[in-house]
């Protein structure tokens, strides 16, 4: 079956760095998305990886290893507004998004 | 960037009535639209996938006669919750795929439905 695993909840301190991991098992693979979702709002796009390696975009970076079925989202210089859920989603061979349950990130002062 | 709108943003209705939610892609043609439901503190749950001009494909456990989806054009899809009950109260989010990227889904802002 198809499966996405990510931690349920993480806590970090303002100004610090946090890494949110995601492992996936899908029928075929056409890339992986990270989305941010604040409570009561729709998800917003953060990153898309289809090749191995690190993609950096400001304070956020996303890494992919296709051979390991693994990705992580790295958030630097954490701000209170980064408190949100972070959703990992992999694209299968039918170009459907397979969603993880999301990681709730709590930022403490 | 690609923009998706939803209307209404929130709605309160009485048990037994029907509610229609609209999802529009404003600046691109959406070949495929997705409808999700999200209960508090839970992840997105895909309800159905619809392609313009064809019948929607519903996920297992989603009643197609209760959640009517119409994807009449490349910019509009509607979800009608028929004979709504309090347990249908949820956050309904649509997304659209198309535009420059074949894979990315662009999300609408969501519709919060409360059934009393």
């Amino acid at each position: 079956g198809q499966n996405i695993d990510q931690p349920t909840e993480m806590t970090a301190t303002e100004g610090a760095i946090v890494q949110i991991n995601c492992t996936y098992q899908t029928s075929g693979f056409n890339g992986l998305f990270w989305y941010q979702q604040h409570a009561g709002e729709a998800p917003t796009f953060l990153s898309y990886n289809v090749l191995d390696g690190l993609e950096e975009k400001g304070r956020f970076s996303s890494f992919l290893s296709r051979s390991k079925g693994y990705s992580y989202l790295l958030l630097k210089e954490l701000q209170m507004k980064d408190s949100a859920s972070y959703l990992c989603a992999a694209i299968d061979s039918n170009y459907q998004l397979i969603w993880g349950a999301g990681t709730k990130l709590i930022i403490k002062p | 960037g690609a923009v998706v709108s939803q209307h209404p943003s929130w709605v309160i209705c009485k048990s037994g009535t029907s509610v229609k939610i609209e999802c529009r892609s404003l600046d691109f043609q959406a070949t495929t639209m997705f409808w999700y439901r999200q209960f508090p503190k839970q992840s997105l749950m895909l309800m159905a996938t619809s392609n313009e001009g064809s019948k929607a494909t519903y996920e297992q456990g989603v009643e197609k006669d209760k959640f009517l989806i119409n994807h009449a054009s490349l910019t509009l899809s509607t979800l009608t919750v028929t004979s709504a009950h309090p347990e249908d109260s949820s956050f309904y989010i649509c997304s659209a795929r198309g535009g420059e990227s074949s894979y990315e889904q662009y999300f609408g802002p969501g519709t919060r439905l409360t059934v009393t």
Side-chain angles (χ1 to χ4, degrees):
Chain A
Q2 309 202 93
N3 192 49
I4 306 286
D5 283 320
Q6 52 181 131
T8 304
E9 187 174 296
M10 298 182 70
T11 302
T13 305
E14 188 177 16
I17 299 173
V18 70
Q19 178 174 310
I20 304 174
N21 296 323
C22 169
T23 57
Y24 63 89
Q25 291 177 308
T26 55
S27 301
F29 180 76
N30 283 296
L32 186 139
F33 286 106
W34 283 96
Y35 283 85
Q36 179 192 59
Q37 186 179 24
H38 285 99
E41 299 180 11
T44 56
F45 170 81
L46 288 179
S47 67
Y48 171 67
N49 294 67
V50 66
L51 301 176
D52 286 352
L54 186 69
E55 296 274 347
E56 296 186 75
K57 191 184 294 184
R59 293 189 300 114
F60 293 4
S61 301
S62 56
F63 171 84
L64 176 68
S65 169
R66 295 178 65 134
S67 62
K68 296 181 179 179
Y70 167 70
S71 173
Y72 67 73
L73 180 69
L74 190 71
L75 292 77
K76 303 176 183 177
E77 301 171 16
L78 287 170
Q79 302 175 9
M80 297 303 292
K81 67 178 182 179
D82 297 330
S83 292
S85 287
Y86 291 85
L87 306 173
C88 171
I91 308 167
D92 69 8
S93 57
N94 293 319
Y95 302 104
Q96 300 300 318
L97 278 180
I98 310 301
W99 291 90
T103 298
K104 182 179 180 181
L105 178 62
I106 301 169
I107 310 296
K108 294 185 176 181
Chain B
V3 180
V4 176
S5 70
Q6 268 183 256
H7 178 79
S9 55
W10 60 270
V11 58
I12 301 172
C13 70
K14 292 185 177 181
S15 186
T17 61
S18 295
V19 174
K20 179 185 284 188
I21 303 171
E22 291 187 350
C23 177
R24 293 180 183 272
S25 56
L26 299 184
D27 52 1
F28 69 101
Q29 292 185 325
T31 52
T32 305
M33 285 187 168
F34 304 85
W35 286 96
Y36 293 86
R37 180 168 54 182
Q38 187 174 36
F39 293 105
K41 299 184 180 180
Q42 295 186 24
S43 188
L44 298 172
M45 188 189 78
L46 180 65
M47 298 176 67
T49 302
S50 73
N51 293 295
E52 184 265 339
S54 61
K55 290 184 178 180
T57 302
Y58 290 81
E59 295 298 303
Q60 192 173 8
V62 178
E63 300 174 58
K64 62 180 181 180
D65 294 330
K66 180 172 179 63
F67 298 99
L68 303 179
I69 292 172
N70 186 343
H71 193 163
S73 76
L74 285 172
T75 60
L76 173 65
S77 176
T78 61
L79 167 68
T80 301
V81 183
T82 63
S83 187
H85 291 285
E87 56 265 32
D88 298 323
S89 299
S90 186
F91 192 44
Y92 291 86
I93 309 171
C94 76
S95 70
R97 188 171 70 196
E100 295 180 2
S101 168
S102 299
Y103 307 141
E104 184 177 348
Q105 292 184 21
Y106 302 96
F107 284 88
T111 297
R112 186 159 301 282
L113 170 63
T114 302
V115 184
T116 60

Coordinates of all heavy atoms in Angstrom, one line a residue, chain A residues 1 4 18-19 22 25 29 34 36 42-43 45-46 49 53-54 57 61 71 73 79-81 89-90 105 108:
Chain A
G1 N 0.8 -1.2 0.0 CA 0.0 0.0 0.0 C 0.8 1.2 0.0 O 2.1 1.2 0.1
I4 N 2.6 7.5 3.9 CA 3.5 8.6 4.2 C 3.6 8.7 5.7 O 2.5 8.7 6.4 CB 2.9 10.0 3.7 CG1 2.6 9.9 2.2 CG2 3.8 11.1 4.0 CD1 3.8 9.9 1.3
V18 N 14.8 23.7 12.9 CA 14.1 22.4 13.2 C 14.0 21.7 11.8 O 13.9 22.3 10.8 CB 12.6 22.7 13.7 CG1 11.7 23.3 12.7 CG2 12.0 21.4 14.2
Q19 N 14.1 20.4 11.9 CA 14.0 19.5 10.7 C 12.8 18.6 10.9 O 12.7 17.8 11.9 CB 15.3 18.7 10.6 CG 15.3 17.7 9.4 CD 16.6 17.0 9.2 OE1 17.7 17.7 9.2 NE2 16.6 15.7 9.1
C22 N 10.1 13.1 6.7 CA 8.9 12.4 6.0 C 9.5 11.2 5.2 O 10.4 11.4 4.5 CB 8.3 13.4 5.1 SG 7.1 12.7 4.0
Q25 N 6.2 5.7 0.9 CA 6.1 4.4 0.1 C 5.0 4.6 -0.8 O 3.8 4.6 -0.4 CB 5.9 3.2 1.0 CG 7.1 2.9 1.9 CD 6.7 1.7 2.8 OE1 5.7 1.7 3.5 NE2 7.6 0.7 2.9
F29 N 6.7 7.2 -8.3 CA 7.1 8.4 -7.6 C 7.3 9.5 -8.7 O 8.1 9.4 -9.6 CB 8.3 8.2 -6.8 CG 8.7 9.5 -6.0 CD1 8.0 9.9 -4.9 CD2 9.8 10.2 -6.4 CE1 8.4 11.0 -4.2 CE2 10.2 11.4 -5.7 CZ 9.5 11.8 -4.6
W34 N 5.9 19.8 0.0 CA 5.7 20.3 1.4 C 4.7 21.4 1.4 O 4.9 22.4 0.6 CB 7.0 20.7 2.1 CG 7.9 19.5 2.5 CD1 8.9 19.0 1.8 CD2 7.7 18.8 3.7 NE1 9.4 17.9 2.5 CE2 8.7 17.8 3.7 CE3 6.9 18.9 4.8 CZ2 8.9 16.9 4.8 CZ3 7.1 18.0 5.9 CH2 8.1 17.0 5.8
Q36 N 2.4 24.2 4.0 CA 2.2 24.7 5.4 C 0.8 25.0 5.6 O 0.1 25.5 4.6 CB 3.0 26.0 5.6 CG 2.9 26.7 6.9 CD 3.5 28.1 6.9 OE1 3.0 28.9 6.2 NE2 4.5 28.3 7.8
A42 N -6.4 27.0 4.6 CA -6.1 26.0 3.6 C -4.5 25.9 3.5 O -3.8 26.8 3.9 CB -6.6 26.4 2.3
P43 N -4.0 24.8 3.0 CA -2.6 24.6 2.9 C -2.0 25.6 1.9 O -2.7 26.0 0.9 CB -2.4 23.2 2.4 CG -3.7 22.5 2.8 CD -4.8 23.5 2.7
F45 N 1.6 26.3 -0.5 CA 2.7 25.6 -1.1 C 4.0 26.1 -0.5 O 4.3 27.3 -0.4 CB 2.7 25.8 -2.6 CG 4.0 25.3 -3.3 CD1 4.1 24.0 -3.6 CD2 4.9 26.2 -3.7 CE1 5.3 23.6 -4.3 CE2 6.1 25.8 -4.3 CZ 6.3 24.5 -4.6
L46 N 4.9 25.2 -0.1 CA 6.3 25.5 0.3 C 7.3 25.1 -0.7 O 8.2 25.9 -1.0 CB 6.6 24.9 1.7 CG 5.8 25.4 2.9 CD1 6.2 24.7 4.1 CD2 6.1 26.9 3.1
N49 N 10.1 18.8 -4.6 CA 11.4 18.1 -5.0 C 11.1 16.9 -5.8 O 10.2 16.1 -5.5 CB 12.1 17.6 -3.7 CG 12.6 18.7 -2.8 OD1 11.8 19.5 -2.2 ND2 13.9 18.9 -2.7
G53 N 18.5 15.7 -3.5 CA 19.3 16.9 -3.1 C 18.5 17.9 -2.4 O 17.3 17.6 -2.0
L54 N 19.1 19.0 -2.1 CA 18.6 20.0 -1.3 C 18.1 21.2 -2.1 O 18.9 21.7 -2.9 CB 19.6 20.5 -0.3 CG 19.2 21.5 0.8 CD1 18.3 20.8 1.8 CD2 20.5 22.0 1.6
K57 N 15.1 27.8 -0.2 CA 14.3 28.9 -0.5 C 14.1 29.7 0.8 O 13.2 29.5 1.6 CB 12.9 28.4 -1.0 CG 12.0 29.4 -1.6 CD 10.7 28.8 -2.0 CE 10.7 27.8 -3.1 NZ 9.4 27.3 -3.5
S61 N 14.2 25.0 3.6 CA 14.9 24.1 2.6 C 14.2 22.8 2.7 O 13.7 22.4 3.7 CB 16.4 24.0 3.0 OG 17.0 25.2 3.1
S71 N 12.4 12.4 2.8 CA 12.5 13.8 2.6 C 12.5 14.5 4.0 O 12.0 14.0 5.0 CB 11.3 14.3 1.8 OG 11.3 15.8 1.7
L73 N 12.1 18.7 5.7 CA 11.9 20.2 5.6 C 12.7 20.8 6.7 O 12.5 20.4 7.9 CB 10.4 20.5 5.7 CG 10.0 22.0 5.6 CD1 10.3 22.5 4.2 CD2 8.6 22.2 6.0
Q79 N 10.5 31.6 13.6 CA 9.7 32.7 14.0 C 8.3 32.2 14.6 O 7.9 31.1 14.2 CB 9.4 33.7 12.9 CG 10.7 34.3 12.3 CD 10.4 35.1 11.1 OE1 9.3 35.5 10.7 NE2 11.5 35.5 10.4
M80 N 7.7 33.0 15.4 CA 6.5 32.5 16.1 C 5.4 32.2 15.0 O 4.6 31.3 15.1 CB 5.9 33.5 17.0 CG 6.9 33.8 18.2 SD 7.2 32.3 19.2 CE 5.7 32.0 19.9
K81 N 5.5 32.9 13.9 CA 4.5 32.7 12.8 C 4.7 31.4 12.1 O 3.8 31.0 11.3 CB 4.5 33.8 11.8 CG 5.8 33.9 11.0 CD 5.8 35.0 10.0 CE 7.1 35.1 9.1 NZ 7.0 36.2 8.1
A89 N 3.5 15.5 1.0 CA 2.7 14.8 0.1 C 3.5 14.3 -1.1 O 4.2 15.1 -1.7 CB 1.5 15.7 -0.4
A90 N 3.4 13.0 -1.4 CA 4.1 12.4 -2.5 C 3.2 12.2 -3.7 O 2.0 11.9 -3.5 CB 4.8 11.1 -2.1
L105 N 3.9 21.9 14.3 CA 5.1 22.5 14.9 C 4.7 23.6 15.8 O 4.0 24.5 15.5 CB 5.9 23.1 13.7 CG 7.2 23.8 14.1 CD1 8.2 22.8 14.9 CD2 7.9 24.4 12.9
K108 N 8.2 27.9 20.6 CA 8.1 28.6 22.0 C 9.1 29.7 22.0 O 10.1 29.7 21.4 CB 8.4 27.5 23.0 CG 7.4 26.4 23.2 CD 7.7 25.5 24.3 CE 6.6 24.5 24.5 NZ 6.9 23.6 25.6

